[in-house]
Structures are given as structure tokens and as C-alpha cells.
Amino acid sequence: MDFSYSPAEERFRSELRTWLQTNPPGSEPENLDAWIAYGKAWQRKLYEAGWCGVHWPKAYGGRGATVLEQIIFQEEMAQARTPLLINLAGLTMGGPVLIAHGTEEQKHRHLQSILAAEEIWCQGFSEPNAGSDLAALKTRAVLEGDSFVVNGQKVWTSFARYADWCMLLVRTDPDAPKHKGITFLLVDMHSPGVTVRPLKQISGEEDFNEVFFEDVRVPRANVIGAVNAGWDIAITTLMHERQTLTFSRQLQSRVALKELIGLARRHPPATPAAHQPLLRQKLAAAYIDSEAMKYTALRNLTNVLRGGIPGPEGSIEKLLWSEMYQRLLETALEVEGPYGQLLKTSPYALDDGKWPHLMLYSRGRTIAAGSSEIQRNIIAERVLGLPRAR
Ligand SMILES: Cc1cc2nc3c(=O)[nH]c(=O)nc-3n(C[C@H](O)[C@H](O)[C@H](O)COP(=O)(O)OP(=O)(O)OC[C@H]3O[C@@H](n4cnc5c(N)ncnc54)[C@H](O)[C@@H]3O)c2cc1C
């Protein structure tokens, strides 16, 4: 890895920084419906200015940026505390999967609308009895003429309520070995027979949903790759999720650490946490974690951007980041002391109650995109080459 920036890359950074200064995203609304409208408008603005999908090929609406420009882009966005992009599933999974496995027609149909947030995507993989063991999925799709007829249920589908398209894993050959009879379908969420029911989280949000499919007709042309060959595409999708998505999140947690150190310098007023030996140790450990994470993430991202497709090493990054982020937020609550019990709604909350909120939200991070136990199995078997777990 070479960390020096060329004059062209420095120009790229300063152009983006100037753009972000003159086009700040504004504060994020609390209400989810309002946040969705705000998120769409923000992503569209980025797209129109050429700042969305910076590493995607120009032919599909991207900027064709280099590896380092992509890293600079992520750094500047995190530094400017811009909100997570609304079409995250489309940008980090759907788009890259289409670029790698889609037909030209599918690419032209979807890629630009993903970038402009004209159509929001969601990921319909997990089912009530198929999470870690994803290949146990039971949602069925039966070919009738030129369409598949889909029946079944998905769960934990983030943002399905607002999604226009779903990357759906379905069983198309129930007699084949379980990894062989799966197909990757793109489903229009406005199709008759699709019902979405929101689920409430501990943090109060309703990002998750259950999605029911009842005789939903999906054109055969919406298959990504080949029928019954969806498992490998699902794995590519998950590797993108574990790695590309984690990269931007670890940058945001670095910003969060900086803010936490700021809080520790002023709270509690009598003896700020930054002067208390045990909390100082924890803050220092969080800083060391974040440096280790930074270089692991850069090394993995460089491989992805050079080779196009992430590998199982993304599990190292996902595991490190999600566990480190939870430790960081537990430390934040220790720094807050009794104030850590006050949520956003309390006028006495510190930093607008964001630390307890983030802490509650972070609990899901060691589950989403594969739990920590599953990441450890992947690292053991596919990165270190240890014998398979029984
Ligand atoms: C914030 C968040 C967002 C999500 N968004 C989506 C989404 O948009 N789309 C989607 O499809 N899914 C989504 N999910 C679901 C997620 O992928 C699953 O929750 C996850 O794969 C775990 O599956 P499960 O919940 O069924 O748990 P289970 O698989 O039932 O696991 C239960 C426990 O058993 C452990 N376990 C299971 N198998 C093994 C094993 N072989 N070895 C060791 N331990 C094991 C697990 O680690 C876990 O602790 C999301 C989840 C979260 C938390």
C-alpha cells in the first residue's frame, strides 16, 4: 500500500471538500418518513454533482475513480459527518452484484436509478428459519410460462417498507442439494401479493420488516445469473456487504471516537473522564482498535478495488469493526455515568442523547450481515484453512 497522494488525488480531495462545504446535507430529521425523503434528496444531489458511485464505471453513471480516490471520498464523507446514504443496499450490494453478474439490459435498467436514489433497494435473504444457515431458505419460486410465482416469507428486511426493489433469494429446485437449488431474483416491491410489516427495535426505530410473498409474479428476465445458481451470487453480495459497507462504517466510528474523546475531556465537570486512569485506558484501547481497523480495512478495500470482488477476508473487518464499535459505545456510557440513561427525549441528556441511542443500535451490528460466530467460522475455514466446523 502506498499512502502518498498524487497532485490529481489531492485535487480530487479539495474539490470534494469544497463541494461538501458549499452543499452541507443539513441536519437529519428524527422521523423515519421524513428521513427517507431527506436521504433521497441528499443522495440525488450527490449523484447530480457526480459524487455517487465514484468507483463505478462511467458507462453506468459512476465516476470511474481510482482506488485512492475512493478511499479519499469515504474519508471526506465521514469527516464531514454526512448521513449514511439512503440506498445503501443498492449502492453496496445490488449495484456491485449487477456490475459483476447482471446482463447489459439489467445494468442499464437499474444502475443509474440506484445511484440517483430514484429506486430504493432492499435485501430479502433472511427467513424465520434461515439466518446463519441461509441456504436453509424455503421461499419458493415456481416457473410458470415467462414468470416465476413466488410464495414465502422474509424477515429482518431493512428498509423494505421504503424499497422499490428486493434482491430476493428463492428456492427454485427443492430436490437439489440445498446450496444448488437457489435463484437470485430481482422483485418489484410494488408487485401484487407483496406485504410488508414493520418490526420495532430496542432503539425505537422501525428499520426492520417482515415481508410476505403470496403468488407474486416475477418475470424470468429478473433472474440475476442463472436459475439454480444463485448461491454464489448471494455469497458475492454478502462479501460486498461485509467489506464495502464496513469500510465506511469504520470511518464513521473513528469520527465517533474523536467526539467521545471530546466528551471525556469535559465530562464529568469535576474530574473529566479523560483524567480518570481506567477510562483513559479504555479510550486508548479504543484508539488502538480503530488504528488496527483502519489498516485492515484499507488493505482489504485495496484488494477489492483492484480485483473487483471482495473475498472472505472481509469477515475479519466486519468482526473487528462490529465488536470494536460495541466496546467504544460501552465506554461512552461509562464516560457519561448516570447521564447514559437519558435518551434523546430528555432535556438533560448529554450530546443530545446520542450515546445511549447508538449503543442500543450497535447491538445488532454483531448479528447483521452474519453474526460474530459465523464470521469466526468463515475466518477459520476460508481464510486460515482450518478444518470445517461440524
Ligand atoms: C441490524 C440488522 C439488519 C439486518 N438486515 C437484514 C436485511 O436487510 N436483509 C436480510 O435478509 N437480513 C437482515 N438481517 C438479518 C441477519 O442477516 C440475521 O439476523 C443473521 O444472519 C443471523 O440470523 P438469525 O437472526 O436467524 O440468527 P440464528 O442464525 O438463529 O443464530 C442464533 C445464534 O446462534 C449462533 N449460531 C448459528 N449458527 C451457528 C454456527 N454454525 N456456529 C456457531 N454459532 C452459530 C449465531 O451466532 C447466533 O448467536 C439483519 C439483521 C440485523 C441485526
Side-chain angles (χ1 to χ4, degrees), residues 346-363:
S346 166
Y348 303 104
L350 297 177
D351 287 354
D352 292 329
K354 87 169 172 193
W355 299 108
H357 178 80
L358 287 176
M359 199 281 282
L360 292 175
Y361 206 88
S362 77
R363 304 314 299 169

Side-chain angles (χ1 to χ4, degrees), residues 126-383:
S126 307
E127 295 183 4
N129 291 310
S132 301
D133 185 11
L134 183 58
L137 63 92
K138 288 200 164 54
T139 296
R140 278 282 276 136
V142 178
L143 194 58
E144 279 183 15
D146 267 353
S147 304
F148 282 99
V149 178
V150 178
N151 280 286
Q153 186 203 337
K154 296 289 170 178
V155 72
W156 313 124
T157 322
S158 304
F159 298 108
R161 226 165 12 125
Y162 299 98
D164 301 290
W165 288 94
C166 180
M167 295 171 266
L168 192 72
L169 287 186
V170 290
R171 186 155 303 283
T172 34
D173 183 353
D175 301 322
K178 69 178 183 180
H179 294 89
K180 302 280 181 202
I182 292 172
T183 300
F184 195 109
L185 276 184
L186 282 189
V187 178
D188 180 342
M189 290 293 281
H190 308 291
S191 310
V194 177
T195 308
V196 180
R197 258 193 355 220
L199 294 165
K200 197 161 189 151
Q201 295 138 232
I202 191 173
S203 56
E205 277 111 346
E206 290 179 350
D207 301 350
F208 285 141
N209 303 270
E210 295 177 298
V211 186
F212 300 87
F213 298 87
E214 238 179 293
D215 292 330
V216 177
R217 295 193 83 85
V218 182
R220 191 190 170 127
N222 288 14
V223 172
I224 306 292
V227 173
N228 292 330
W231 182 250
D232 288 346
I233 300 175
I235 294 300
T236 316
T237 316
L238 288 170
M239 286 179 176
H240 275 289
E241 182 179 21
R242 284 167 192 157
Q243 192 157 327
T244 337
L245 197 54
T246 301
F247 187 82
S248 57
R249 293 211 161 120
Q250 62 87 19
L251 286 167
Q252 282 156 349
S253 55
R254 290 172 72 79
V255 173
L257 173 60
K258 251 193 197 165
E259 289 174 355
L260 175 59
I261 291 171
L263 176 67
R265 288 202 164 108
R266 59 178 196 275
H267 181 82
T271 318
H275 298 284
Q276 300 177 27
L278 284 179
L279 286 173
R280 277 175 77 86
Q281 292 283 347
K282 290 194 177 179
L283 290 167
Y287 178 75
I288 293 165
D289 274 349
S290 90
E291 286 297 290
M293 179 72 227
K294 174 178 161 186
Y295 292 109
T296 307
L298 284 174
R299 190 179 57 217
N300 286 344
L301 186 72
T302 307
N303 287 340
V304 175
L305 295 172
R306 283 193 183 134
I309 305 226
E313 302 77 21
S315 289
I316 303 175
E317 195 171 327
K318 197 270 168 176
L319 177 69
L320 262 178
W321 166 73
S322 54
E323 297 200 344
M324 164 196 120
Y325 189 52
Q326 286 178 358
R327 283 196 296 274
L328 172 73
L329 292 165
E330 280 158 16
T331 304
L333 290 205
E334 284 188 59
V335 168
E336 287 208 314
Y339 286 87
Q341 299 168 65
L342 301 178
L343 295 173
K344 288 174 170 186
T345 40
S346 166
Y348 303 104
L350 297 177
D351 287 354
D352 292 329
K354 87 169 172 193
W355 299 108
H357 178 80
L358 287 176
M359 199 281 282
L360 292 175
Y361 206 88
S362 77
R363 304 314 299 169
R365 296 299 180 209
T366 44
I367 304 170
S371 67
S372 285
E373 289 78 10
I374 295 305
Q375 306 307 331
R376 286 189 167 90
N377 278 346
I378 294 171
I379 295 165
E381 291 166 15
R382 301 195 51 201
V383 180

